[in-house]
Structure formats: C-alpha cells, structure tokens
C-alpha cells in the first residue's frame, strides 16, 4: 500500500502536469528556425547531449539556444564564442524561479520558440515549470514524461534510456526517430584551439604518456594518495610510460603528494581548467580515472581508457574502442591490485597519431 507521502507527491506531480501542459504544434523541422536545448545539469550530462546539438546543426536550425548550468556551461562556451550557439546559464536544474524567468524572457526576445529539446532527463518540478512557461511550439524529450506537449517521436529512445543504454546512443536514436538528422552517438567536449596548442607544446617532449585522475564529483568517487601510488606503480610496470596528473585547483595538493612519492608521475605546469585537462586526455596514450567527466572526454577522442566505477551504470559506460571498467561495488578507493591488473590486460595503450 502506498504511503501518504508517496500519494501526495503523485497528486502534486499530476497537478503540475495539468497546470503547465498544453497542446503543441506538429513537429516539422523545415519550419524550425529557433530551437532551445535545455541541459542545466552536470558536465557529463552536457557532453552526452551533443548528439542532439549536432543534429540541430545538421538540420541547419538558424538559432540554437543552449540552457546550461553554472556547472556545465564551460562545455558550450567555445561554441558560444564562435557564434554557433547562444548560451544562457541558470544556477541549477532545481532553481525553478530562475528557469521560469528565463523561459519568459526567451519567449519575449524571440517571439516564440519553435522547438525545445528537453535534455534534463527528469520529469521534475523545475523541468515541468520551464517547459510549461516556455511553451515552445513543439517539444521532444527522453524523460518519459506523460505531458502531451511532448511530441511522441521516439518511444524507442525512451525505452532505451529506461533500460540503461548509453546516453549519447539514446540521444542519437531520438534525433534519428524524430527525423531531425543522423549523427554519431558520442560524447563531446570542444577544446579551444589555443588551449590545445598550448598543451600539445607542453607534452611534446614527453612523447607517449598516461593521463591519471584521482578525483570524481563525490566522496565515493575519490581515490586516496595511497591508492594512487598503487595505481601508478602498476601502470609503470605494465606500460613503462610516464604519467601526467589531471587535477582541479582543489585536487592539486593530492596530485603533488602522489608525484613526490612516484618517480614517473608529474603534475603539469598548466592552468587547472577543464579544457586543459581535456586536452591532456585527448593527447594521452591511455587515461585512467574514476567515473567522471574526464572518462567521457577519453571516449570523445577515442582514447584508450580504464574507468573506475563505484557501481555499474550503463548510461555512463566508456565508449572508446579500447576500454576496461573496474567496478568496486562501493567507494572507488576499494581498488585492488587484482582490479588494476585485470583492467590493464584488457587495454592497450595507443601510439601517438
């Protein structure tokens, strides 16, 4: 029997659906000149949504507006700087007031939105409020929302997502089934050319190297210095390649502590930005990292990767041709020598192009 709290939430959600729902126009891409891509979530979520963005570009949509969070806006800034998209940011997916205010502003500025691609993946209060306030002429989504304002273009993609298929693969399927465009099912993180050149010049004297990251977004995705030492020792013995640490400003102390204990590990004298770390991943022979955005950067550039996961999640598996997953069934710091050796035997470090 359902609890009172569960029933109250279901009734509340039904009321929100009823209040904000509307009847959309049929989706005809030839009539879409202004589209919104709604993705105010984390970095990995934004990277996984690039098939939707690339499909809109392939369909020659005149104006693409991306709604990002403060967390993942960095992904889209190079595209905004080039004029390929217009970028707006909101504090987070939970900030309903900011989302509604932005939706009203976009309607006023553009005289209506032709299409909204809801990439939030959540039928949440904030998402419902944004979609219902924006009132795009047509909407598509993968959250499984029952609202009739969403065009029923791909139940297949919704079911793929619900069954745990990789998120970029689901988005590519949705774009195909909606008749927008056929695009590659891949993660992306555009790297500014100046940063790519800076990093390439820095690593050129090293030759082939392994990129190593110890930190994920939550405490149970953090590797300790001790496990970093264990990892570095195994990697050196097996691959005989130097290692470059990837770290944020907050993780620099840990990275330097590891480099002091391991002869073949260095901390790069480069800015601690996402794009610099991404460029280091893109140029590596192998990347080793807990389940976080840098793992998906490796997939974006088809770099061999060893991903360390606290539990299996099909939505975020590595998509590189050569990859291995270590599942620790809890905190990633449970990593063992057997885990590392098993993964290394599955992954061959790549030669430089």
């Amino acid at each position: 029997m359902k609890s009172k709290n569960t029933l109250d939430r279901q009734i509340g959600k039904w009321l929100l659906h009823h209040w904000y729902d509307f009847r959309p126009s049929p989706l005809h891409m030839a009539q879409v000149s202004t589209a919104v891509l709604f993705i105010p979530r984390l970095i990995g979520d934004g990277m996984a949504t690039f098939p939707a963005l690339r499909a809109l570009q392939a369909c020659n949509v005149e104006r693409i507006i991306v709604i990002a969070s403060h967390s993942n806006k960095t992904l889209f800034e190079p595209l905004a700087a080039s004029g390929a998209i217009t970028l707006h940011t909101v504090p987070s997916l939970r900030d309903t007031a900011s989302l509604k205010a932005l939706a009203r502003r976009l309607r006023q500025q553009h005289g209506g939105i032709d299409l909204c691609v809801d990439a939030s993946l959540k039928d949440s209060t904030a998402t419902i409020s944004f979609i219902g306030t924006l009132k795009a002429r047509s909407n598509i989504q993968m959250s499984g929302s029952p609202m009739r304002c969403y065009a029923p273009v791909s139940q297949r993609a919704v079911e793929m997502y619900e069954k745990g298929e990789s998120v970029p693969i689901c988005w590519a399927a949705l774009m195909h089934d909606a008749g927008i465009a056929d695009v590659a099912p891949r993660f992306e993180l555009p790297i500014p050319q100046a940063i790519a050149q800076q990093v390439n010049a820095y690593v050129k004297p090293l030759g082939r190297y392994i990129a190593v990251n110890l930190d994920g977004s939550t405490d149970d995705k953090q590797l300790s210095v001790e496990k970093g030492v264990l990892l570095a020792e195994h990697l050196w013995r097996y691959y005989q390649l130097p290692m470059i640490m990837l770290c944020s400003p907050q993780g620099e102390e840990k990275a330097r502590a590891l480099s002091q204990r391991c002869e073949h590990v260095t901390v790069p004298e480069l800015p601690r930005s996402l794009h610099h770390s991404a460029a280091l991943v893109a140029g590596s022979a192998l990347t080793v990292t807990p389940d976080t955005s840098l793992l998906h950067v490796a997939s974006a550039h088809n770099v061999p990767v060893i991903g360390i996961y606290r539990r299996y999640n099909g939505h975020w598996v590595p998509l590189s041709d050569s990859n291995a997953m270590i599942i620790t069934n809890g905190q990633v710091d449970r990593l063992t020598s057997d885990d590392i050796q098993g993964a290394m035997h599955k992954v061959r470090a790549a030669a430089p192009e």
Side-chain angles (χ1 to χ4, degrees):
M1 186 174 181
K2 294 181 179 179
S3 68
K4 183 178 184 301
N5 287 339
T6 300
L7 288 172
D8 287 346
R9 285 195 297 270
Q10 290 179 343
I11 292 170
K13 183 69 69 68
W14 181 87
L15 290 172
L16 276 173
H17 286 158
H18 181 74
W19 177 259
Y20 281 107
D21 209 355
F22 60 94
R23 189 172 299 281
S25 301
L27 176 59
H28 298 299
M29 288 305 299
Q31 300 173 6
V32 174
S33 61
T34 301
V36 166
L37 177 61
F38 179 64
I39 181 60
R41 297 193 67 185
L42 299 177
I43 293 171
D45 301 287
M47 292 181 65
T49 310
F50 264 81
L53 175 58
R54 296 308 185 192
L56 294 174
Q57 291 178 318
C59 204
N60 297 315
V61 174
E62 179 181 343
R63 184 181 297 106
I64 301 173
I65 302 166
V66 175
I67 312 301
S69 67
H70 291 323
S71 173
N72 69 15
K73 68 177 182 179
T74 308
L75 294 176
F76 304 103
E77 286 173 343
L79 296 177
S82 71
I85 64 167
T86 300
L87 179 62
H88 292 272
T89 61
V90 292
S92 73
L93 182 59
R94 297 182 178 182
D95 193 334
T96 301
S98 295
L99 289 169
K100 290 170 65 176
L102 177 57
R104 288 191 291 266
R105 193 159 67 248
L106 290 175
R107 288 184 63 192
Q108 292 169 357
Q109 289 176 351
H110 301 289
I113 303 297
D114 299 312
L115 172 65
C116 179
V117 180
D118 172 12
S120 68
L121 302 177
K122 289 184 177 293
D123 184 33
S124 65
T125 298
T127 301
I128 296 166
S129 301
F130 177 82
I131 297 298
T133 303
L134 185 67
K135 283 188 167 55
R137 294 184 180 90
S138 189
N139 303 276
I140 57 176
Q141 52 87 27
M142 210 157 55
S143 67
S145 170
M147 292 174 70
R148 69 186 183 195
C149 64
Y150 290 107
V153 293
S154 182
Q155 184 60 30
R156 177 176 75 106
V158 173
E159 291 174 354
M160 287 169 62
Y161 179 75
E162 290 175 345
K163 291 177 180 177
E165 181 62 85
S166 172
V167 178
I169 293 175
C170 294
W171 278 116
L174 179 59
M175 294 298 107
H176 168 82
D177 291 357
I180 298 176
D182 289 328
V183 291
R186 57 195 294 262
F187 293 98
E188 284 193 52
L189 192 159
I191 302 171
Q193 184 177 7
I195 291 178
Q197 291 172 344
Q198 179 189 16
V199 171
N200 289 341
Y202 179 84
V203 300
K204 187 174 182 180
L206 289 176
R208 300 171 71 219
Y209 65 90
I210 297 172
V212 178
N213 172 48
L214 300 182
D215 297 325
S217 57
T218 56
D219 289 345
D220 52 3
K221 293 183 180 181
Q222 309 283 337
L223 287 172
S224 63
V225 174
E226 288 69 27
K227 286 302 172 75
V229 170
L230 178 69
L231 178 62
E233 289 175 344
H234 281 289
L235 291 172
W236 173 251
R237 285 199 296 268
Y238 192 85
Y239 294 107
Q240 294 287 296
L241 292 176
M243 285 154 271
I244 291 182
M245 296 303 301
L246 309 173
C247 63
S248 65
Q250 296 77 19
E252 184 167 350
E253 182 179 353
K254 186 196 293 186
R256 291 199 182 279
L258 177 57
S259 70
Q260 290 168 5
R261 293 177 58 177
C262 298
E263 178 183 358
H264 303 287
V265 175
T266 60
V267 178
E269 299 305 321
L270 291 167
R272 308 292 175 224
S273 77
L274 174 63
H275 287 123
H276 284 84
S277 290
L280 287 168
V281 169
S284 69
L286 169 69
T287 291
V288 184
T289 174
D291 172 25
T292 190
S293 58
L294 294 177
L295 188 149
H296 308 312
V297 174
S299 292
H301 294 276
N302 200 25
V303 169
V305 61
I306 295 174
I308 308 168
Y309 291 73
R310 56 186 174 169
R311 62 174 180 270
Y312 179 80
N313 185 341
H315 288 149
W316 305 110
V317 296
L319 298 181
S320 297
D321 290 341
S322 180
N323 72 79
M325 298 173 63
I326 296 172
I327 311 296
T328 61
N329 295 314
Q331 296 185 350
V332 297
D333 209 44
R334 293 180 177 177
L335 182 71
T336 67
S337 291
D338 287 344
D339 291 332
I340 300 167
Q341 290 171 357
M344 291 189 305
H345 287 312
K346 294 179 182 177
V347 177
R348 182 179 297 276
E353 294 183 358

